[in-house]
Amino acid sequence: MLWGVFSDVHANLEALEAVLGAFEARGVGGYLCCGDIAGYGPQPDEIVERLAALPNLLCVRGNHDLAVLGKMDLRWFNEPARAAVLHARRTLSPTSLAWLAALPERIETPQFTVVHGSPRNAAEEYLVTIQQFHDNCAHFKVSPCFVGHSHLPLCFLMKEPVSIVEAGPLAEGQQVAVAPGVRSVINPGSVGQPRDHDARAACGVYDDDTRTFQLLRVPYDVKAVQDKITNAGLPTFLALRLSYGQ
Ligand code: ZN
């Protein structure tokens, strides 16, 4: 089956709709979301409603989702991020809050693992270095392990028997084959707030028959969401950074 893999939607409905359209065009049958549904963007409630209606969605919670739920100290967040968490608390319906609160920290199936930050510290660790990949390998059994949190499309593969690590950023269209027994961590990048200097939404598709992941980049109406950020009274910085993919 083909899975649409995505993360860090961050209340950006324009970006999410574009990504879901790209998934539909490829005929995905299920969805994997690595968390951070809320935060930064203007429409957390609409995002939860859209995600809750998707068939075959496997979704974990992120640190911004935990903050919205009052389960993470807001001192961890900078001023713009804190403003967006408070905006989410004001705008999420009780039903949406209950949906967020029910999200697990980790999902493991016979085909893959899904967490937000890293397998050893799902809420807080940015898994971006080869050393961190090594350190995390003892903390998950099933590869690929899909992560989010850094907002950077990345891949780590452990080539046995000599434990050589292949790692690096994932470019648009790049394919990664995850042979059985090869430990791997894949980050599909961020839907709603990419930080790799490419303003387009990032996501990917994973075929669990061929065990192949492909990274996608999807353009969306950045101006429309920037206007909504401004109109919601959120910090201008949160709108501006979307133009630059930062
Ligand atoms: Zn995030």
Side-chain angles (χ1 to χ4, degrees), residues 97-169:
L97 283 169
W99 187 87
L100 277 182
L103 294 176
E105 179 180 283
R106 175 190 193 102
I107 292 170
E108 255 178 337
T109 78
Q111 283 87 30
F112 40 70
T113 305
V114 185
V115 294
H116 181 60
S118 75
R120 70 174 168 183
N121 186 346
E124 290 167 20
E125 183 177 24
Y126 294 90
L127 203 172
V128 291
T129 68
I130 289 174
Q131 184 60 52
Q132 287 172 316
F133 171 63
H134 268 292
D135 294 345
N136 270 281
C137 275
H139 297 267
F140 69 100
K141 290 194 207 76
V142 185
S143 291
C145 175
F146 293 107
V147 305
H149 196 41
S150 69
H151 297 208
L152 302 171
L154 290 171
C155 178
F156 298 87
L157 290 167
M158 180 87 82
K159 300 281 181 165
E160 299 295 358
V162 284
S163 298
I164 297 290
V165 176
E166 275 181 16

Side-chain angles (χ1 to χ4, degrees), residues 208-225:
D208 64 10
D209 294 321
T210 62
R211 300 179 60 91
T212 304
F213 176 87
Q214 183 176 32
L215 190 87
L216 310 177
R217 297 308 288 244
V218 188
Y220 72 95
D221 190 345
V222 174
K223 175 77 167 61
V225 71

Side-chain angles (χ1 to χ4, degrees), residues 13-27:
L13 187 61
E14 280 71 18
L16 178 65
E17 291 296 354
V19 161
L20 293 179
F23 287 157
E24 196 180 333
R26 283 165 178 78

